[in-house]
């Protein structure tokens, strides 16, 4: 049975990108309630489903490492979850793919997967520069910035993001993760199995819109959310079509938010989450009770003090307050504060000076384990990349050569 990849077992099954921890910290970004598909499967290793494929991500000081698993039957599903099990060998070669046993990299898949990861993590956005701007504008942000560096917004698939967040009503992160897992197991296509854990693709709109879905999800413990999930999918297909959600990326923020609010089970907060986390609306500031409390506690925000719940006006006013403070990427800054307020991360505040040391120790442990295994870097790369190997793999190869000399 296939196992979850671990970097200390050898870099030959991994690929990498140059990425400093000031730009991305996986442990914060993937566990702060943006996406509910990622689990820590080994120390510092996060496995999840993205783009119809199963990935494991980990990082060292200035390098992001990733491994993509073959799906069932040896096929890798495309971004829309489409595979072609009946293709002949010649047809696969015509697409630039050959069997891994032949020792030749899959050029097309390699390039596509790197771009998928860059897009998902929005690596074109320079996070360290944004942190510098937010520190200058906001004394409270400056206090937590050094502890909670690298909290980056994901760019998720709009369908997955929307229907995951419909599940968040009156809920908490661990329970939402369980619901999303059950949703995928019940309605999504199987992808692969690793160490007794089965991974599934997120269900399609067509699967979610089926008339039997509400009863199925009620049996799985979704309660009233089961109806919202089925009805929203049905409404999108009947009134708008398959491409409607992705099309919201190209229209202004408020217009996109109002369009989402027409769906069953989608209020202002859920709509803002979807806008921020999947529709490229960096100015969207989702406001829930946590953010309201942060505004009152840390920013002396007095508006709405006599209210017991968040009205549309209060949501808008708090959002405008933070947009004026933080600028066009206000939603990204808000996610840092939200992350810093989660109970699971409070220990980081208690030992802020020890955090960098801990990261260095973890990197050293990985390096020692790699040396013990006498790791060699991947040498059989695609012909197109033979003369342009990535800098991170060159570093790995040089470290192995030094070991031999010693």
């Amino acid at each position: 049975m296939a196992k979850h990849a671990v970097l200390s077992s050898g870099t030959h099954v991994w690929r990498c990108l140059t990425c400093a921890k000031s730009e991305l910290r996986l442990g914060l970004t993937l566990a702060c309630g943006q996406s509910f598909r990622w689990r820590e499967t080994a120390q510092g290793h996060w496995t999840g489903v993205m783009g119809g494929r199963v990935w494991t991500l980990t990082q060292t000081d200035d390098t992001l490492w990733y491994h993509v698993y073959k799906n069932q039957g040896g096929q890798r599903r495309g971004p829309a979850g489409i595979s072609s099990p009946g293709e002949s060998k010649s047809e696969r070669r015509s697409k630039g793919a050959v069997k891994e046993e032949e020792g030749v990299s899959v050029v097309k898949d390699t390039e596509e997967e790197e771009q998928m990861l860059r897009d998902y993590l929005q690596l074109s956005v320079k996070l360290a520069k944004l942190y510098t701007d937010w520190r200058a504008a906001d004394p409270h942000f400056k206090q937590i910035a050094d502890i909670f560096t690298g909290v980056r917004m994901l760019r998720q698939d709009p369908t997955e993001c929307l229907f995951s967040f419909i599940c968040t009503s009156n809920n908490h992160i661990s329970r939402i993760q369980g619901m999303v897992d059950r949703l995928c197991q019940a309605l999504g296509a199987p992808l692969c199995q690793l160490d007794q854990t089965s991974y599934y693709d997120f269900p399609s709109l067509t699967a979610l819109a089926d008339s039997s879905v509400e009863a199925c999800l009620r049996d799985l413990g979704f309660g009233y959310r089961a109806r919202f999930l089925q009805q929203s999918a049905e409404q999108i297909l009947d009134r708008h079509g398959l491409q409607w959600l992705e099309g919201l990326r190209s229209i202004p923020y408020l217009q996109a938010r109002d369009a989402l609010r027409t769906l069953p089970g989608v209020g202002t907060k859920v709509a803002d989450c979807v806008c921020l986390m999947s529709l490229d609306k960096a100015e969207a500031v989702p406001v829930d009770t946590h953010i309201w409390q942060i505004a009152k506690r840390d920013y002396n925000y007095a508006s709405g003090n006599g209210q017991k719940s968040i009205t549309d006006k209060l949501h808008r006013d708090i959002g405008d307050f933070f947009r004026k403070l933080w600028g066009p990427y206000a939603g990204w800054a808000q996610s840092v504060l939200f992350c810093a307020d989660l109970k699971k991360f409070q220990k980081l505040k208690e030992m802020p000076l020890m955090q960098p040391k801990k990261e260095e120790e973890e990197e050293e442990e990985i390096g020692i384990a790699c040396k013990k295994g006498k790791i060699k870097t991947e040498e059989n790369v695609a012909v197109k990349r033979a003369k342009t190997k990535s800098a991170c793999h060159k570093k790995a190869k040089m470290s192995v050569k030094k070991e031999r000399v010693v």
Side-chain angles (χ1 to χ4, degrees):
M1 178 178 292
K3 296 182 177 295
H4 290 95
V6 180
L7 187 60
S8 59
S9 296
T11 60
H12 58 285
V13 297
W14 294 81
R15 282 170 278 167
C16 60
L17 302 171
T18 299
C19 183
K21 288 189 177 180
S22 60
E23 290 293 327
L24 169 68
R25 279 172 67 189
L26 292 173
L28 296 178
T29 299
L30 299 180
C32 69
Q34 295 185 58
S35 171
F36 307 99
R37 305 300 306 280
W38 296 91
R39 301 291 188 278
E40 192 173 22
T41 49
Q43 185 173 2
H45 292 64
W46 294 83
T47 302
V49 178
M50 184 267 288
R53 310 178 192 199
V54 182
W55 306 64
T56 293
L57 310 179
T58 191
Q59 59 187 147
T60 50
D61 188 35
D62 60 355
T63 305
L64 172 64
W65 299 86
Y66 63 100
H67 176 76
V68 187
Y69 301 87
K70 280 188 174 183
N71 291 333
Q72 289 185 352
Q75 295 296 318
R76 282 180 172 168
R77 300 167 69 85
I82 300 171
S83 60
S84 304
E87 288 179 333
S88 67
K89 186 174 179 181
S90 60
E91 288 171 329
R92 291 197 300 272
R93 279 183 170 157
S94 71
K95 294 181 178 181
V98 295
K99 293 181 179 179
E100 284 193 358
E101 299 86 67
E102 296 174 3
V104 182
S105 294
V106 184
V107 178
K108 184 177 179 181
D109 277 353
T110 298
E111 293 175 349
E112 181 183 19
E113 286 160 359
E114 178 177 327
Q115 186 54 47
M116 287 171 66
L117 186 60
R118 288 183 179 277
D119 181 73
Y120 183 71
L121 297 173
Q122 305 197 74
L123 294 181
S124 61
V125 178
K126 302 306 178 186
L127 189 60
K129 173 62 168 62
L130 290 177
Y131 267 65
T132 299
D133 294 343
W134 296 330
R135 281 189 184 97
D138 180 356
H140 175 66
F141 188 93
K142 185 177 181 179
Q143 291 177 11
I144 66 170
D146 291 339
I147 305 171
F148 293 90
T149 58
V151 180
R152 175 174 287 276
M153 292 307 307
L154 304 174
R155 188 178 192 248
Q156 301 177 58
D157 171 76
T159 297
E160 177 172 336
C161 188
L162 169 63
F163 288 91
S164 294
F165 273 92
I166 289 177
C167 297
T168 64
S169 175
N170 298 315
N171 224 335
H172 53 81
I173 292 176
S174 61
R175 188 161 181 262
I176 297 163
Q177 287 177 327
M179 293 176 73
V180 172
D181 281 348
R182 295 195 297 276
L183 178 67
C184 295
Q185 290 169 15
L187 302 174
L191 297 177
C192 69
Q193 187 175 21
L194 305 170
D195 292 319
Q196 307 296 328
T197 300
S198 296
Y199 291 89
Y200 298 83
D201 204 356
F202 199 84
S204 65
L205 276 173
T206 303
L208 289 163
D210 190 272
S211 59
S212 65
V213 164
E214 180 180 348
C216 171
L217 296 183
R218 283 188 180 275
D219 288 342
L220 293 174
F222 281 68
Y224 63 88
R225 305 172 193 85
R227 176 168 54 89
F228 292 151
L229 290 164
Q230 191 275 331
Q231 289 182 352
S232 288
E234 185 176 47
Q235 182 171 311
I236 290 171
L237 290 179
D238 289 349
R239 300 184 186 179
H240 306 291
L242 285 170
Q243 304 304 315
W244 178 70
L245 277 175
E246 193 163 331
L248 297 181
R249 287 175 167 170
S250 62
I251 66 176
Y253 156 53
L254 292 178
Q255 189 177 338
R257 189 185 70 178
D258 289 344
L260 290 170
R261 290 184 63 189
T262 65
L263 300 172
V266 179
T268 305
K269 181 251 183 176
V270 168
D272 267 342
C273 287
V274 178
C275 283
L276 175 64
M277 300 170 193
S278 69
L279 298 180
D280 304 335
K281 316 304 181 192
E283 71 271 38
V285 178
V287 177
D288 60 6
T289 55
H290 295 287
I291 296 301
W292 188 15
Q293 291 302 317
I294 289 170
K296 291 191 292 185
R297 182 189 69 216
D298 301 324
Y299 294 88
N300 297 318
Y301 187 84
S303 179
N305 271 345
Q307 298 176 201
K308 294 183 178 180
S309 60
I310 301 173
T311 62
D312 283 347
K313 181 180 184 304
L314 182 58
H315 193 291
R316 181 179 64 253
D317 289 347
I318 293 175
D320 287 344
F321 170 80
F322 284 125
R323 278 185 282 271
K324 183 177 180 180
L325 178 64
W326 293 324
Y329 279 81
W332 287 53
Q334 177 263 7
S335 72
V336 180
L337 295 190
F338 182 85
C339 182
D341 207 50
L342 290 174
K343 186 179 295 185
K344 67 171 75 175
F345 296 132
Q346 293 313 297
K347 289 184 179 180
L348 297 180
K349 293 180 180 178
E350 297 169 7
M351 299 179 292
L353 297 178
M354 294 180 66
Q355 183 65 18
K357 182 179 179 181
K358 182 179 178 182
E359 289 173 355
E360 290 170 5
E361 288 173 352
E362 290 174 356
E363 290 153 18
E364 183 179 353
E365 288 172 3
I366 291 174
I368 292 171
C370 290
K371 287 183 179 181
K372 286 182 178 179
K374 295 183 179 179
I375 295 168
K376 293 183 180 180
T377 57
E378 183 175 352
E379 295 175 352
N380 293 323
V381 296
V383 174
K384 290 184 179 181
R385 291 193 165 190
K387 296 183 180 180
T388 56
K389 291 182 179 178
S390 63
C392 48
H393 277 141
K394 286 183 178 180
K395 289 180 182 178
K397 186 174 181 181
M398 287 173 66
S399 66
V400 173
K401 287 183 177 179
K402 288 181 180 178
E403 180 188 348
R404 289 174 176 170
V405 172
V406 173

